Amino acid sequence: MSTTDTDGIAEAGDDGGESVESFRTRARAWLADTMPPLPDGATNQLLAREDESGERARRLQRLLFDGGFAGISFPAAYGGQGLSRAHQRAFTQESLPYQMPTVFNVPTLSILAPTLLDFGTEEQKVRYIPAMLSGDELWVQFLSEPSGGSDLAGLVTRATRDGDVFVLNGSKIWSSGAFRSDYSLCLARTDWKVPKHRGLTMFILKIHQPGIEVRQIKMVNGTGEFCQEFFDDVLIPATDVVGEVNDGWTVASRLLFHERDATGGGSPYVSGVATAAAGQDGQRSDLLELARETGQTADPRVRQLVAEARVNDRVQSQLVERVTTGIRTGAFPLPAGAIPSLFAATNTERHFDIGLEIAGAGAGAWIDDDADRWGETYLLRQGLSLGGGSNEMQRNIISERVLGMPREYAADRDKPFDEVRHN
Amino acid sequence: MDLRLSDDQQLFRETTRKFLESTCPLETVRRLADAEPAGFDKKWWKRGAELGWVSMLVPEEDGGGSISGHGLLDLVLVAEEMGRLVSPGPLVPTNVVAAALARSGTPTQRREFLPGLVNGDTVAAWCLGTPVAGIDTAGGRVEAAPRDGGYVLDGVTGPVEAGGQADLYLVTIHTGDGVTQCVVPSDTPGVAVGPAHGLDLVRRYAQVRFDQVVVPPDGVLGVAGDAASDAERQLQIAVVLQVAEMVGALDRAFEFTVEYAFDRYSFGRPLASYQALKHRFADMKTWLEASQATAAAAARAVDTESPLAPELASVAKSYVGERGPAILQDCVQLHGGIGVTWDHDLHLYLRRVVTDRSQFGTPSDHRERVAVAMGM
Ligand SMILES: Cc1cc2nc3c(=O)[nH]c(=O)nc-3n(C[C@H](O)[C@H](O)[C@H](O)COP(=O)(O)OP(=O)(O)OC[C@H]3O[C@@H](n4cnc5c(N)ncnc54)[C@H](O)[C@@H]3O)c2cc1C
Ligand SMILES: Cc1cc2nc3c(=O)[nH]c(=O)nc-3n(C[C@H](O)[C@H](O)[C@H](O)COP(=O)(O)OP(=O)(O)OC[C@H]3O[C@@H](n4cnc5c(N)ncnc54)[C@H](O)[C@@H]3O)c2cc1C
């Protein structure tokens, strides 16, 4: 038996299993034989944009699964490989030149699967996690609602118990990629007579079924990633409750912890992406390439800017490493995960600002339509600062739950939810 | 602080902290500022040396030795603790010179100079007589004319930390098309010390002049004309120690500013209850943890002489050098009017951090080094 950490992931090298280096060698050979290389100049991010339906990602994920390289840090009992973070890191490093199903990382494998591992019943884990790892099922989170996202516990989508089923009515919004996805974790209100955190339940919800309408929402950059869903008397079997009825906040809090890990770059379940956890510090090279393409690498001002972005990226991965270690060893409380999330979001804001500066006039008007369009990239600058909990929410968490400062005044504290004013 | 300390390192850190708290609290620092021309008490420095303050980068056969086998990581603990109490003492220059002697010194040089440095009887200063490793020297230049297998030095360097207190100078100069380093005892004929001023209350600077100073062949450290990598290594060590000191200072100043926010009331509420201020504390906490993380990563890279060491040292210096003063000025702001008074301790920290930010390369100097490391 291998020793495991608080999060149940194997530690490298202490179970007599395959060493990281031997695994790396095997992975390298397998990748070369099996996975399609990235075409010149392409990135997995760009390819994912062209794969709106997700069919390409599902095929690639299936290749990983059949080859024994899917879910490297997931337990073998649920279709994973049961290996350590170090094995996952090694695999990611080897995988960077190849096409990878990166769409599966967030939220399916890094947020929703770990939440099911934490709270799902044995039947739920056996039914759903292998299907994620094999590329058969993509997942999405149904949390935010038109009435508000930051005040998640104040949501108003209603699930009413009727014998062995719950009846769902209401609407979810900003769910990324719901149109191409199969399942969701959906948080809904099951008791209106108690204060808001105590009347929520988390459900596994099949997306494409009678009573659910999914609409794509056009985003500022023209893509239709965002969706809104409308629920009209959708029937959910009671066996699809995750955790306890009316204890959905506990499950949601854990989900949000995994989300901070994923957005901050510390998740051990992300594969094939040069995140901080992958040990590929400072790999973002888009600004250096922009400086090269625009012939500005000798300009001292541009050198300062490109180097500043590199410094921030390096520090980001060092910070992820520090906070992940701190949380795992108990030196930091769980909410400290908000620290790398806030850093990643503000670093991204700065990264886009620097790109805009280096792009110069080309950010606003251009001739060559194939060139990287920094202006358009810049339009989505706030994405990471809102999605996964806004920067303001992260700052509340850090000041209140890491530094112990007084909580914000809340007009709804301890009040039965049906007496609370809401949108 | 690095989160991965061994028990022995923890113990060493606690011993250092207790020693500093009992022998050199902030009142003592303030008193030394006025009363002690050297900025530190030599007997006190010798007691610190007994605790290992100059041993860590020197091998056991030369009288040194570390706690963990990773001397720089152990020394970083001292630098952090000294930052927390804005302690006096020539920690950076003496250790940089000791490390240089241990690395490249001949047996005679090591025997002659290391014991005194390690046991605290003597201190050393690093005189940059030429820009090294992309870091400028504020105009100071020393010219070197070859003579009889050694050199004759002419010129001026400074401000040099501990220049007026040092018994020994390590002088880095340009010769031919390379870098050369010389060890010059301060009582060598032709060496003179002139005044210079520093922002820090207890860190002393001086100009060091060289007027026809004869360096015999055995005064050359390492290979003449081929010491650029030695100088680069010295810079990295200096930067790691500076960054550790800044992080220690920031950690302490942030700690008492948070306490102040809980204790001070306005409009019937503690300052810590206002979201506008809570969010600033959250930002500061994030920058502080980031500073801790990059300081530890740089120390590890330089300790193991990793190929990434030049870049990671400069990453840490440019990040902490930029954020450090910003965090402290925020602490001043959050204290209100008391924060800009002489009697409040914040300015001791601000002075120390601004000094560290500015010496051995500013954040922009180090960003330029990062650009070079990126292949630009
Ligand atoms: C790119 C992207 C992807 C997303 N993907 C998903 C997804 O897959 N699934 C999903 O459920 N949601 C998703 N979201 C939604 C996201 O979680 C919400 O946008 C976010 O939680 C904010 O909620 P809101 O948009 O309703 O803004 P609001 O909550 O109305 O907030 C508006 C502004 O007010 C600030 N604010 C609100 N309350 C406070 C307070 N108490 N103190 C200080 N400031 C406050 C917020 O920080 C924000 O700046 C995504 C969002 C983005 C941008
Ligand atoms: C250079 C200088 C000259 C001055 N000259 C004069 C003068 O001539 N005459 C005179 O009477 N005074 C003078 N002052 C005093 C100045 O008006 C006060 O320092 C200032 O009002 C802040 O008060 P405080 O120092 O007590 O800080 P505090 O009121 O204790 O505030 C501490 C910090 O908390 C913040 N804070 C406090 N309450 C809130 C809140 N509700 N929401 C958000 N943030 C809050 C403040 O902005 C500050 O950052 C001077 C101050 C300085 C620095």
Side-chain angles (χ1 to χ4, degrees):
Chain A
M1 247 285 315
S2 66
T3 48
T4 55
D5 232 305
T6 47
D7 54 12
I9 296 177
E11 288 287 294
D14 54 13
D15 64 347
E18 186 173 12
S19 75
V20 174
E21 278 322 302
S22 135
F23 175 77
R24 181 194 292 278
T25 311
R26 195 160 62 77
R28 183 180 302 158
W30 180 85
L31 282 159
D33 282 349
T34 320
M35 296 304 274
L38 278 171
D40 256 1
T43 64
N44 275 309
Q45 214 182 347
L46 284 175
L47 293 178
R49 219 175 283 167
E50 289 158 16
D51 177 34
E52 238 210 352
S53 70
E55 283 314 314
R56 179 184 142 275
R58 288 169 194 263
R59 269 198 317 277
L60 295 172
Q61 183 68 31
R62 181 84 213 183
L63 289 176
L64 293 180
F65 187 74
D66 290 342
F69 292 100
I72 289 165
S73 295
F74 280 89
Y78 310 120
Q81 311 304 326
L83 296 171
S84 73
R85 286 178 156 78
H87 290 85
Q88 176 59 67
R89 259 198 303 274
F91 184 77
T92 289
Q93 285 163 356
E94 295 302 324
S95 75
L96 293 176
Y98 298 95
Q99 297 188 37
M100 288 286 288
T102 52
V103 166
F104 272 83
N105 284 321
V106 181
T108 306
L109 293 177
S110 61
I111 304 178
L112 301 173
T115 306
L116 280 183
L117 281 180
D118 293 338
F119 289 102
T121 62
E122 190 57 24
E123 291 73 30
Q124 288 170 342
K125 289 191 260 197
V126 169
R127 159 64 186 86
Y128 292 110
I129 292 174
M132 296 174 176
L133 292 174
S134 64
D136 287 338
E137 292 171 0
L138 265 170
W139 284 57
V140 63
Q141 14 186 8
F142 284 172
L143 301 174
S144 305
E145 299 188 358
S147 61
S150 297
D151 182 12
L152 179 58
L155 57 82
V156 294
T157 287
R158 174 187 301 266
T160 312
R161 182 139 203 174
D162 182 7
D164 286 346
V165 296
F166 287 81
V167 184
L168 185 73
N169 282 286
S171 176
K172 294 284 174 181
I173 195 165
W174 317 135
S175 22
S176 309
F179 62 91
R180 66 166 159 265
S181 303
D182 307 282
Y183 283 89
S184 69
L185 280 185
C186 178
L187 192 62
R189 187 164 305 283
T190 39
D191 189 345
W192 298 67
K193 301 259 172 251
V194 292
K196 63 179 181 181
H197 292 100
R198 291 196 255 135
L200 300 170
T201 303
M202 188 71 88
F203 296 95
I204 294 170
L205 179 65
K206 189 174 175 11
I207 297 173
H208 302 287
Q209 61 164 308
I212 300 185
E213 187 196 339
V214 181
R215 275 189 215 156
Q216 283 178 261
I217 299 171
K218 192 169 179 181
M219 294 176 78
V220 285
N221 62 356
T223 64
E225 276 295 287
F226 265 174
C227 294
Q228 181 169 5
E229 301 77 27
F230 300 90
F231 310 126
D232 180 15
D233 285 338
V234 182
L235 301 184
I236 310 178
T239 48
D240 286 348
V241 169
V242 180
E244 300 298 320
V245 173
N246 291 331
D247 193 31
W249 188 248
T250 305
V251 183
S253 300
R254 192 71 197 171
L255 183 155
L256 296 175
F257 166 75
H258 290 302
E259 175 156 40
R260 280 195 292 275
D261 233 14
T263 53
S267 173
Y269 303 111
V270 166
S271 192
V273 182
T275 63
Q280 293 286 316
D281 345 339
Q283 281 283 322
R284 252 197 301 201
S285 59
D286 49 354
L287 295 175
L288 180 57
E289 277 153 26
L290 181 65
R292 288 204 170 118
E293 280 159 17
T294 52
Q296 300 184 85
T297 48
D299 180 334
R301 207 173 43 98
V302 171
R303 295 171 70 81
Q304 285 286 311
L305 289 168
V306 173
E308 182 194 339
R310 164 65 73 109
V311 167
N312 290 339
D313 285 354
R314 286 268 193 225
V315 175
Q316 184 178 323
S317 57
Q318 293 160 349
L319 176 64
V320 166
E321 202 265 347
R322 175 178 175 81
V323 175
T324 312
T325 306
I327 289 177
R328 286 168 66 208
T329 59
F332 292 155
L334 269 193
I339 292 173
S341 288
L342 179 61
F343 192 100
T346 51
N347 179 24
T348 295
E349 292 177 0
R350 180 68 190 140
H351 189 87
F352 282 8
D353 291 346
I354 289 174
L356 198 63
E357 182 68 25
I358 297 175
W366 56 90
I367 290 168
D368 177 8
D369 207 33
D370 288 336
D372 277 343
R373 296 196 295 252
W374 262 93
E376 284 197 346
T377 308
Y378 179 78
L379 295 179
L380 258 179
R381 176 183 185 270
Q382 299 310 118
L384 200 54
S385 297
L386 288 167
S390 70
N391 289 356
E392 290 71 29
M393 292 303 108
Q394 310 291 4
R395 290 187 175 105
N396 280 352
I397 292 170
I398 296 166
S399 56
E400 294 174 4
R401 296 204 271 140
V402 179
L403 298 174
M405 293 181 160
R407 302 277 301 265
E408 283 303 296
Y409 167 74
D412 55 4
R413 185 154 303 152
D414 299 331
K415 259 196 206 173
F417 193 73
D418 56 7
E419 292 169 23
V420 170
R421 221 179 124 169
H422 49 77
N423 294 325
Chain B
M1 189 192 65
D2 200 321
L3 293 175
R4 297 184 292 186
L5 295 185
S6 69
D7 291 347
D8 287 346
Q9 285 176 314
Q10 297 265 23
L11 184 66
F12 177 61
R13 190 173 65 89
E14 279 156 33
T15 312
T16 308
R17 179 174 294 190
K18 280 196 198 118
F19 176 77
L20 288 171
E21 280 171 351
S22 63
T23 60
C24 201
L26 293 185
E27 308 85 77
T28 306
V29 172
R30 284 176 183 268
R31 190 177 51 69
L32 290 169
D34 295 328
E36 178 52 75
F40 68 99
D41 175 31
K42 283 209 81 165
K43 287 199 292 275
W44 174 81
W45 178 254
K46 197 167 157 55
R47 287 175 66 195
E50 282 162 14
L51 295 176
W53 291 359
V54 201
S55 308
M56 302 301 179
L57 305 181
V58 176
E60 275 171 28
E61 58 267 29
D62 292 315
S66 69
I67 308 286
S68 64
H70 296 275
L72 187 59
L73 304 188
D74 301 336
L75 188 57
V76 149
L77 301 173
V78 179
E80 281 176 357
E81 293 304 319
M82 288 191 142
R84 283 182 70 84
L85 282 179
V86 285
S87 305
L91 186 79
V92 175
T94 303
N95 273 294
V96 163
V97 175
L101 282 163
R103 179 185 174 88
S104 304
T106 61
T108 317
Q109 287 169 332
R110 293 147 72 121
R111 224 174 12 250
E112 187 174 350
F113 299 116
L114 281 174
L117 294 176
V118 169
N119 72 26
D121 285 333
T122 56
V123 302
W126 184 16
C127 301
L128 287 162
T130 180
V132 291
I135 305 305
D136 204 356
T137 52
R141 282 292 186 286
V142 176
E143 303 297 331
R147 183 192 292 174
D148 303 336
Y151 294 94
V152 177
L153 305 184
D154 252 310
V156 58
T157 60
V160 172
E161 185 186 342
Q165 290 73 45
D167 306 283
L168 181 70
Y169 299 118
L170 172 61
V171 192
T172 304
I173 46 181
H174 222 83
T175 54
D177 51 10
V179 171
T180 297
Q181 302 204 105
C182 305
V183 274
V184 179
S186 60
D187 57 4
T188 307
V191 174
V193 169
H197 309 278
L199 188 66
D200 193 274
L201 290 185
V202 288
R203 184 161 284 170
R204 299 291 186 255
Y205 288 87
Q207 269 196 321
V208 183
R209 298 172 185 283
F210 300 87
D211 181 14
Q212 294 287 306
V213 171
V214 177
V215 178
D218 63 4
V220 174
L221 182 66
V223 182
D226 199 18
S229 65
D230 285 353
E232 165 72 34
R233 173 100 188 131
Q234 287 153 218
L235 178 80
Q236 290 171 17
I237 292 171
V239 161
V240 162
L241 295 176
Q242 275 188 324
V243 167
E245 189 177 70
M246 284 194 272
V247 164
L250 294 170
D251 199 50
R252 176 68 194 126
F254 181 71
E255 203 172 88
F256 67 65
T257 305
V258 170
E259 279 167 28
Y260 188 78
F262 278 95
D263 294 343
R264 176 115 176 140
Y265 278 66
S266 74
F267 304 92
R269 292 161 54 173
L271 296 182
S273 69
Y274 290 105
Q275 191 182 55
L277 304 189
K278 284 159 66 182
H279 282 194
R280 290 177 68 166
F281 279 104
D283 283 334
M284 284 198 276
K285 174 71 175 167
T286 303
W287 301 333
L288 180 60
E289 290 301 334
S291 297
Q292 298 266 20
T294 193
R300 279 183 237 130
V302 173
D303 176 67
T304 56
E305 304 198 32
S306 138
L308 281 177
E311 183 183 339
L312 294 190
S314 288
V315 163
K317 177 69 199 274
S318 60
Y319 186 80
V320 182
E322 198 79 63
R323 282 301 178 192
I327 292 173
L328 279 172
Q329 295 290 20
D330 258 8
C331 290
V332 170
Q333 177 65 18
L334 295 164
H335 270 83
I338 192 86
V340 293
T341 62
W342 185 270
D343 280 351
H344 200 281
D345 293 328
L346 266 169
H347 73 108
L348 274 62
Y349 291 87
L350 191 54
R351 286 167 186 274
R352 176 61 55 91
V353 168
V354 170
T355 303
D356 282 336
R357 171 202 188 275
S358 314
Q359 305 301 301
F360 296 120
T362 63
S364 350
D365 293 334
H366 283 278
R367 277 193 293 270
E368 175 56 28
R369 278 170 51 92
V370 171
V372 172
M374 291 176 77
M376 283 183 95

